[in-house]
Amino acid sequence: MCCGIYAYCLQTVTEDNPELLKSFSAPALHVLESAMLSPVSSMEYILLKTLVAGTIWNLKDIIPSKSQAEIINAILKILSDVLDVDAGETVIRMHEAEKQRLEAAAETEDVLESTSRGSLMEDDEMEEIPHKRKVRRKTFISDLLPPTDKELRETIALLTAQQTALEIVVNMCCSEDPSDDEWEELSSSDESDAFMENSFSECGGQLLSPLCLSHEVHTAFTNYLIPKKIFEKTAFPNSTAVDICFRSPTWKSLVRKMNTIQCRALVCLQSLVSLLDVDHLGGPAALQTLAQHLSQLLFAQPDFAKHVDFLEAISSALRALLQTMASKNISQCMTPNQLMTLCTAGIHSSNTGVRVNVVSILGITGSVLAKEDGTLETLKTIGCFLLEVATKDPSLVVAGEALDALFDVFADGKEAERASVQIKLLSALKEFQPVFKMKIRKEGRGKYSPDQLCVLDNVKMNLRRFVAYQETVEKRLTT
């Protein structure tokens, strides 16, 4: 479908392209709106509408403010409808439809070939030519027609539409975050207090989220049950559909597409958990259920460490979820054994993002355990693990995250203080401090971005302060 290709190109070029927005006219925008609101419901047209919805979201800055709420509502309605479709059941149904179509075509071909053979024999007898066995190429009707894979194309269109819809949701969450310049300007101006007061009043005494998800998007998310539908997409693909695809060479590539949808849903989940208020996510009980769900997904695959995309996506979601739960004092559901299994597998990943995530997860959980009684041995295990990562991981980004995690775990709590002394944390950090400083100086500028270097400089400064703090702790406990 050519228009689908054009729509994909349009969505791509309009993303983060303010110069292009200036050339968009009102009639062009109306054409896109008409395509997005069309009642046609074939799977290929669903993909087209999803791509157009993504394009219009990219163009939101040139849409008149009076139309913003209506347009955002229309976009979320399309995304909701796309995510409503059960991809696994669609694969099963469309593959069966293809099978029946091909069987019917084969039966028709057999009948016509049999009829053709009978006519040929009659001609031979009428001409009194001795019948000889003839070797000739078998010609089917399908050989004379353009090849068709309608069911496969329709199914691919649906899976692509669902992946695109999830990516648009992530963009909606990210693009609502104000820039650093905007925050700096706001925080240094007299309008800051007025802004917060107005936001508080408009939302009935409660801010929508710690970030700045607009009221229109938040309302549409809630009305169309977007968080619930994203949660459902985080499940593993339908096993029957996966088996069907694996048995068919032409459908085999769909398994990867179904797995990609799961990973995109996990990334979406990370954004929503970071962005929405706990109440809008269903409350503490819902977050605990979600944590159990993610743990089950993770440990359902004994070889989860081999699936790098999945591991990065689910560890990102877990990191965001556990951080939210810790900030709200909601009890966490992962056992120490599960935690260490995840971290031990993840820290050996070649993917830096996975290693950063598992180290952060360990820091979040450790900081919670540090405030509880009877956690000394677990804290010692966590401390030794983080110390090993901080001093030996080849990436300064991972090492910096591990140091940050150590600061969080051993910043407070009697059990944490005892554990730090027993694992000789102070002497290890004192020895590593000049090494870390030298690595930043030697490797920093060539390998890391300015943002990463800024974070590493902050870690270096905090390391100096933490060493001073640990000196007072060790002196107090050993005298």
Side-chain angles (χ1 to χ4, degrees), residues 310-325:
F310 170 76
L311 184 55
E312 182 175 17
I314 197 167
S315 61
S316 296
L318 266 172
R319 176 183 181 177
L321 177 61
L322 294 176
Q323 182 64 62
T324 297
M325 294 173 74

Side-chain angles (χ1 to χ4, degrees), residues 280-296:
H280 293 115
L281 291 168
L287 293 189
Q288 289 179 320
T289 300
L290 181 56
Q292 290 175 339
H293 168 71
L294 293 180
S295 297
Q296 288 167 358

Side-chain angles (χ1 to χ4, degrees), residues 190-211:
D190 295 333
E191 296 173 341
S192 178
D193 292 339
F195 169 80
M196 296 302 290
E197 186 176 343
N198 289 340
S199 298
F200 194 76
S201 301
E202 288 171 6
C203 302
Q206 181 180 26
L207 286 170
L208 290 178
S209 69
L211 299 180

Side-chain angles (χ1 to χ4, degrees), residues 64-82:
S65 56
K66 63 181 180 180
S67 305
Q68 288 259 342
E70 183 183 355
I71 291 296
I72 288 172
N73 204 56
I75 291 172
L76 266 299
K77 171 70 164 62
I78 288 172
L79 303 188
S80 175
D81 290 345
V82 170

Side-chain angles (χ1 to χ4, degrees), residues 86-89 92 235-243 258:
D86 188 320
E89 290 299 324
I92 295 169
F236 285 118
N238 184 307
S239 58
T240 302
V242 170
D243 289 342
M258 288 187 280

Side-chain angles (χ1 to χ4, degrees), residues 256-290:
R256 182 170 179 80
K257 288 185 175 294
M258 288 187 280
N259 288 332
T260 299
I261 287 172
Q262 182 193 29
C263 289
R264 294 292 186 276
L266 288 166
V267 173
C268 264
L269 193 62
Q270 173 204 356
S271 297
L272 292 178
V273 166
S274 301
L275 197 62
L276 297 178
D277 186 86
V278 171
D279 289 339
H280 293 115
L281 291 168
L287 293 189
Q288 289 179 320
T289 300
L290 181 56

